[in-house]
Amino acid sequence: MNPTERQELAGLLPSPGAPALSSDRMTQMEAHLMQEITKEAPAPTPTPAGSGRVPPRRLRRKVALLAVPVTAAAVLTTVLTVGGDGPARPTTDSEAVALLDRIAKVTAAKNTPAVRDDQYVYTLIQGTDDLTDEGLDRFRRADWHAVDGRRDGLARTTVLSGPSGKGTTDMRIQADPNATTYRELQALPTDPGALYDKVWSATEGQGPTHEEAALEMIGSMLEGATLLPDVGATLYRAAARIPGITVVDDAKDASGRSGVGLAFGDGDDRKVWVFEEKNLTYLGSEDVALLDVTVVDRKGQNPAG
């Protein structure tokens, strides 16, 4: 078949599109990764089903992308085409690799707090919730997750503005064997090559591209790894092995804080991780801002100060 005939035939076929990786599929992939990493560890014991269950926010958060202009650094992403008719694959951006290396070194130098199984990981985030035809709610949410994953947690959501009206709601986070616990993150390999291999294997066949699926999985663990400097540094070094990341100089997280960003993906699938420009602290993403992460003794307890 000559090129002209191929082009005419292609015009008769519908576009295959670029399906996004669903949150449910991301949950399945991360659960598969954790099973591979922690085969010898006992699984958390689930509690009986009950009312008021809140899905683990870290894996199944529903948020709307903020409208942030695409910078020149993101626009100038280069791709390498393998063969005349082969798929386009992203190339490695040396600036992004260098930034990830700096972030990893800064992260690894931080102290790891002592954490007991009977404590709770407290996280405070800010984002937006798409209510479809009604518009967007802007919210803050505090979560308390059991360190060992064996006890129920708590989600406290405050609507700051939006069509659902202001107010604060408390809901139980039911213990879930599919949720990634602090202890499971702690068990991740601290060798970048080993972690990269596990993530790459767990995301095989996913997309829009394999690279994006692997980076999304790494991104889903950055928040929880904030309290685990060795693991966080390994995640950044593993990400540096995946082509397709570019530097965004004027990125903003979902709360409006400015910083330097690392972007991957295109269009609606574009993701941006945001870091404080001077100390390179992880601020979250354009989707969800990470305002605080710490450990407390009981659910519902706010951090001191």
Side-chain angles (χ1 to χ4, degrees):
M1 182 181 294
N2 62 44
T4 301
E5 291 173 331
R6 185 184 295 112
Q7 184 175 3
E8 291 175 351
L9 178 60
L12 299 175
L13 299 175
S15 171
L21 189 64
S22 69
S23 59
D24 287 341
R25 183 56 187 156
M26 180 61 68
T27 299
Q28 293 172 7
M29 289 192 308
E30 192 170 49
H32 171 70
L33 175 63
M34 290 305 167
Q35 288 172 3
E36 290 296 315
I37 294 170
T38 60
K39 281 183 178 178
E40 303 302 322
T45 303
T47 59
S51 60
R53 177 180 179 182
V54 179
R57 175 187 53 76
R58 201 173 283 113
L59 301 181
R60 303 169 193 164
R61 183 188 301 127
K62 178 184 178 185
V63 293
L65 292 175
L66 298 182
V68 178
V70 179
T71 67
V75 172
L76 293 177
T77 304
T78 307
V79 296
L80 174 65
T81 301
V82 182
D85 296 324
R89 308 307 299 178
T91 59
T92 299
D93 185 307
S94 59
E95 185 182 5
V97 171
L99 178 56
L100 281 164
D101 182 64
R102 288 172 52 210
I103 294 170
K105 288 177 180 177
V106 170
T107 301
K110 296 178 180 179
N111 295 323
T112 303
V115 178
R116 305 188 311 268
D117 280 349
D118 64 338
Q119 291 181 303
Y120 290 83
V121 175
Y122 168 90
T123 58
L124 179 65
I125 60 99
Q126 181 170 317
T128 54
D129 190 9
D130 188 356
L131 303 180
T132 315
D133 295 336
E134 299 179 52
L136 297 178
D137 268 353
R138 188 169 62 92
F139 69 89
R140 284 192 177 183
R141 174 168 165 169
D143 278 9
W144 291 263
H145 287 275
V147 166
D148 62 4
R150 296 177 180 270
R151 287 156 291 127
D152 288 352
L154 175 67
R156 178 167 293 159
T157 304
T158 300
V159 178
L160 304 175
S161 63
S164 67
K166 297 181 179 180
T168 299
T169 304
D170 283 3
M171 294 188 72
R172 177 169 60 101
I173 301 176
Q174 190 172 8
D176 186 345
N178 293 319
T180 305
T181 68
Y182 175 91
R183 293 301 182 207
E184 287 174 322
L185 283 172
Q186 194 175 35
L188 285 169
T190 52
D191 174 74
L195 182 55
Y196 165 84
D197 288 343
K198 288 183 177 294
V199 169
W200 193 255
S201 176
T203 53
E204 185 175 0
Q206 306 305 315
T209 68
H210 196 169
E211 290 81 4
E212 288 179 45
L215 289 167
E216 281 212 39
M217 175 173 280
I218 288 174
S220 74
M221 293 184 279
L222 293 181
E223 178 183 301
T226 300
L227 296 173
L228 296 162
D230 287 346
V231 173
T234 306
L235 287 168
Y236 294 125
R237 290 185 171 118
R241 296 170 178 244
I242 303 172
I245 306 178
T246 58
V247 176
V248 180
D249 293 325
D250 57 351
K252 288 187 178 181
D253 70 11
S255 69
R257 294 177 297 182
S258 297
V260 60
L262 288 167
F264 60 93
D266 297 304
D268 291 340
D269 298 315
R270 184 173 182 264
K271 307 294 181 185
V272 181
W273 303 335
V274 185
F275 302 84
E276 205 281 328
E277 191 167 5
K278 292 184 179 179
N279 60 30
L280 299 179
T281 298
Y282 178 62
L283 299 179
S285 69
E286 287 186 335
D287 299 349
V288 176
L290 180 59
L291 303 182
D292 194 10
V293 183
T294 190
V295 177
V296 295
D297 291 333
R298 62 186 184 276
K299 61 184 176 185
Q301 176 184 359
N302 289 317

